[in-house]
Amino acid sequence: LQIDAVIKAPKTAGTSTAIHAGDIVYWDATNKVMTETGSGNVCAGVAVKDAADAASWVYVLLGVAYT
């Protein structure tokens, strides 16, 4: 387990799946990807770099989130 670190994590690629730097991201344990959908998922941290729709990865600062 690693906390307060930037990690490269999987995300779903496709239309309307972009994640932008500063967005809060959540771990979707069912699909094993990071997402912006909080409902039913665990808050993981904040994206530190834009991840376009086509990207399969997002860089996340773990353990940091704001509302």
Side-chain angles (χ1 to χ4, degrees):
L1 176 68
Q2 187 169 2
I3 57 174
D4 293 334
V6 174
I7 64 163
K8 179 181 173 183
K11 71 171 265 307
T12 301
T15 305
S16 300
T17 63
I19 296 175
H20 302 285
D23 288 349
I24 297 173
V25 293
Y26 302 85
W27 177 247
D28 176 345
T30 301
N31 297 305
K32 309 287 190 256
V33 294
M34 293 291 182
T35 179
E36 289 184 293
T37 303
S39 180
N41 297 317
V42 177
C43 184
V46 177
V48 296
K49 185 177 178 183
D50 289 345
D53 285 345
S56 296
W57 301 96
V58 61
Y59 290 89
V60 179
L61 177 58
L62 294 177
V64 177
Y66 57 89
T67 57

